[in-house]
């Protein structure tokens, strides 16, 4: 029991671990909740832009408070400067994308790197006044959380979560159907700006603890993990908050056990969670997708069964169907599925077409014979007509067959003199 105590309970007695756990959890939960809207709106790159552009705001806030008021590393001043820099960056992105041919994603790349570079230049020029560790800004120091950081993150989290709760329906409808939201009178642009402010607040309050890299990870990865196992926004937010919290807990323990950087360990655990869910998610996971593909009957097999029975002229026994249909290991599964779908009916040991099955079979046969006519018209050797047409008959998307019929002049017979079924048969 003592090794277990040392591994799990001993770190909890340390003050630095407690602060890291509380601060990291606050940041992770609020980031994960807001991140759901960011992921669904495909704004992940915007969060990255805001976090990098913040250095200009931090430097500006630091410089103003130092030179005008004599405060060294004044946290509220740097927070306000960071928020102002984030909002200016968003405004510049919107301006560039509206007045030029440059798309929004390109504008984001241009503006955030420009504002980030401005911050670096300001720090280097006024290095005698500004004492900012850029590496700390980028990587963070979750194991060195100060009391001020805890209070700021808690205050911002309370504001952002309150906004999300109060305007949940507004965010929901503008995320999934902005056109409908505008038609019923919702101020879509104002709601978009409100979400941007929430993202900016989260990023600004979290960077001092977890750094630029980790705040983007906590904003995107838990939300993406929850997206794989949920189809409802409210449930997705709850699951995302849970994954964000477990990322911090698991990452901090990894940090202690492996004696590694705290931010990197948290992000590593967060990413591992995503990979596990990506593989084992019950509906959208890789394993579930593989099982669905294994159970799926290829459409060509279904169509081959239909045309085989149609050509047979009556209910066809299994031996006849096996003779002409490929993919025999999946044949029984295909027959069972077709009976359930109402395309076939069992007549003893034989299978007959239903009305809908016959209609579908005649359309496949129509495609086959039209392709044979086309192959004949372009000089394909007669011995290749059937085999080539058999492969092409399954290509019936986007009006292909009707276009082929029009090109051939709406023929009524194929090159063998057999009737070509009509389009409505």
């Amino acid at each position: 029991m003592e090794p277990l105590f040392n591994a799990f309970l001993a770190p909890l007695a340390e003050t630095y671990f407690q602060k890291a756990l509380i601060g990291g959890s606050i940041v992770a939960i609020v980031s994960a909740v807001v991140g759901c809207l960011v992921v669904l709106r495909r704004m992940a790159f915007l969060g990255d832009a805001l976090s990098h552009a913040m250095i200009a705001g931090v430097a500006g806030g630091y410089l103003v408070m130092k030179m005008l008021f004599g405060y060294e590393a004044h946290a509220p001043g740097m927070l306000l400067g960071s928020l102002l820099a984030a909002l200016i960056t968003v405004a510049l992105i919107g301006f560039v994308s509206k007045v030029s041919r440059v798309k929004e994603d390109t504008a984001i790349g241009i503006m955030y790197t420009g504002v980030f570079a401005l911050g670096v230049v300001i720090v280097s020029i006024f290095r005698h006044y500004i004492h900012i560790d850029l590496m700390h800004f980028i990587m963070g120091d979750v194991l060195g959380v100060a009391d001020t950081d805890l209070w700021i993150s808690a205050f911002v989290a309370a504001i952002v979560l309150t906004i999300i709760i109060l305007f949940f329906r507004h965010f929901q409808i503008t995320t999934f159907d902005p056109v409908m939201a505008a038609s019923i009178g919702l101020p879509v642009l104002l709601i978009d700006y409100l979400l941007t402010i929430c993202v900016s607040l989260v990023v600004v309050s979290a960077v001092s603890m977890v750094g630029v890299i980790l705040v983007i990870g906590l904003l995107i990865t838990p939300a993406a993990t929850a997206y794989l196992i949920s189809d409802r926004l409210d449930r997705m937010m709850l699951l995302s908050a849970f994954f964000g919290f477990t990322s911090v807990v698991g990452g901090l323990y990894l940090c202690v056990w492996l004696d590694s950087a705290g931010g990197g360990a948290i992000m590593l655990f967060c990413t591992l969670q995503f990979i596990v869910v990506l593989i084992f998610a019950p509906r959208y996971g890789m394993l579930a997708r593989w099982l669905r593909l294994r159970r799926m009957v290829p459409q060509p097999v279904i169509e081959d069964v239909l045309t085989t029975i149609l050509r047979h002229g009556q209910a066809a026994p299994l031996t006849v169907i096996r003779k002409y249909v490929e993919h025999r290991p999946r044949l029984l599964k295909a027959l069972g599925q077709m009976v359930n779908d109402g395309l076939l009916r069992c007549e003893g040991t034989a299978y007959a077409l239903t009305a809908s099955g016959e209609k579908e079979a005649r359309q496949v046969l129509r495609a086959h014979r039209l392709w044979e006519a086309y192959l004949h018209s372009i000089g394909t050797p007669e011995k290749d007509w059937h085999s080539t047409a058999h492969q092409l008959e399954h290509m019936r998307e986007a009006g292909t067959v009707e276009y082929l019929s029009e090109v051939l002049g709406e023929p009524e017979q194929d090159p063998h003199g057999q009737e070509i079924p009509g389009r409505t048969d």
Side-chain angles (χ1 to χ4, degrees):
M1 289 297 294
E2 187 173 348
L4 185 65
F5 174 81
N6 292 331
F8 288 97
L9 299 181
L12 291 174
E14 302 293 337
T15 303
Y16 77 90
F17 192 89
Q18 295 171 3
K19 288 185 177 181
L21 187 59
I22 295 171
S25 298
I26 293 173
V27 168
I29 289 172
V30 70
S31 298
V33 171
V34 175
C36 292
L37 297 172
V38 171
V39 168
L40 293 174
R41 289 169 175 245
R42 300 180 181 180
M43 293 169 53
F45 200 19
L46 179 61
D48 191 23
L50 295 178
S51 64
H52 282 80
M54 268 182 50
I55 188 172
V58 170
Y62 194 115
L63 188 62
V64 169
M65 298 305 295
K66 173 70 174 178
M67 298 184 69
L68 296 184
F69 302 101
Y71 288 107
E72 182 85 20
H74 189 257
M78 291 190 292
L79 179 65
L80 185 60
S82 300
L83 182 59
L84 186 61
L87 295 178
I88 291 174
T89 303
V90 172
L92 288 174
I93 291 169
F95 175 76
V96 171
S97 61
K98 286 179 181 178
V99 302
S100 69
R101 296 181 62 193
V102 176
K103 302 297 182 183
E104 188 175 16
D105 57 342
T106 307
I108 290 174
I110 295 170
M111 288 299 115
Y112 100 73
T113 51
V115 177
F116 179 75
L118 174 64
V120 173
V121 170
I122 291 174
V123 171
S124 62
I125 292 176
F126 297 97
R127 55 186 174 274
H128 299 298
Y129 298 97
I130 302 175
H131 305 102
I132 297 176
D133 184 359
L134 290 181
M135 185 57 65
H136 171 78
F137 177 81
I138 294 172
M139 300 303 297
D141 186 13
V142 72
L143 296 180
V145 176
D147 292 341
T148 305
D149 295 328
L150 289 178
W151 284 110
I152 290 176
S153 61
F155 179 70
V156 170
I159 292 176
V160 172
L161 291 178
T162 300
I163 292 174
I164 295 295
I165 293 171
L166 291 178
F167 297 96
F168 176 79
R169 294 300 179 190
H170 299 74
F171 285 127
Q172 187 177 40
I173 191 170
T174 53
T175 296
F176 292 107
D177 197 341
V179 175
M180 179 182 175
S183 67
I184 62 176
L186 289 181
V188 177
L189 185 60
L190 183 61
I191 293 171
D192 289 344
Y193 278 126
L194 185 60
L195 177 60
T196 302
I197 291 173
C198 289
V199 175
S200 303
L201 284 171
V202 169
V203 171
V204 167
S205 65
V207 162
S208 62
M209 283 192 290
V210 296
V212 170
I213 306 300
L214 184 57
V215 73
I216 300 305
L218 290 178
L219 196 66
I220 304 302
T221 309
T225 307
Y227 186 55
L228 292 173
I229 54 178
S230 177
D231 290 322
R232 292 178 57 88
L233 180 57
D234 51 355
R235 191 178 304 161
M236 179 182 171
M237 286 182 170
L238 291 174
L239 287 171
S240 181
F242 170 76
F243 286 126
F245 173 73
T246 54
S247 296
V248 171
V249 174
L252 288 176
Y253 274 110
L254 275 182
C255 166
V256 172
W257 295 339
L258 302 178
D259 191 22
S260 66
I266 290 173
M267 200 59 244
L268 176 62
F269 194 90
C270 189
T271 305
L272 290 176
Q273 279 188 147
F274 173 79
I275 293 173
V276 170
V277 174
L278 176 65
I279 296 173
F280 296 105
R283 187 173 180 183
Y284 301 111
M286 294 172 60
L287 183 59
R289 181 175 180 274
W290 179 77
L291 291 174
R292 283 197 303 271
L293 291 175
R294 287 275 298 175
R295 292 193 294 264
M296 188 180 296
V297 177
Q299 185 65 22
V301 176
I302 294 175
E303 294 179 353
D304 287 347
V305 170
L306 292 174
T307 53
T308 297
I309 300 175
L310 181 65
R311 288 190 175 103
H312 191 63
Q314 57 184 342
L318 187 58
T319 53
V320 172
I321 299 174
R322 284 186 183 277
K323 184 178 179 180
Y324 294 102
V325 178
E326 299 177 358
H327 303 283
R328 293 179 183 177
R330 296 192 178 184
L331 181 56
L332 292 177
K333 185 185 294 184
L335 292 171
Q337 178 177 313
M338 294 169 72
V339 171
N340 292 333
D341 293 342
L343 298 174
L344 299 180
R345 64 176 182 273
C346 290
E347 294 185 357
T349 58
Y351 293 88
L353 295 172
T354 62
S356 59
E358 182 175 354
K359 181 179 179 180
E360 179 69 17
R362 291 182 70 83
Q363 292 307 304
V364 179
L365 187 61
R366 169 178 167 79
H368 180 93
R369 290 178 177 173
L370 282 172
W371 278 114
E372 284 193 343
Y374 176 75
L375 293 170
H376 168 67
S377 69
I378 63 175
T380 304
E382 184 176 353
K383 62 182 179 63
D384 296 329
W385 291 352
H386 180 78
S387 59
T388 306
H390 181 69
Q391 296 175 359
L392 296 173
E393 68 186 24
H394 305 297
M395 300 170 55
R396 297 186 291 137
E397 295 84 2
T400 303
V401 176
E402 302 315 318
Y403 175 75
L404 187 63
S405 177
E406 183 180 342
V407 169
L408 294 172
E410 305 288 345
E412 297 181 356
Q413 293 183 334
D414 70 1
H416 303 291
Q418 296 176 310
E419 178 191 1
I420 298 177
R423 70 179 68 185
T424 59
D425 288 351

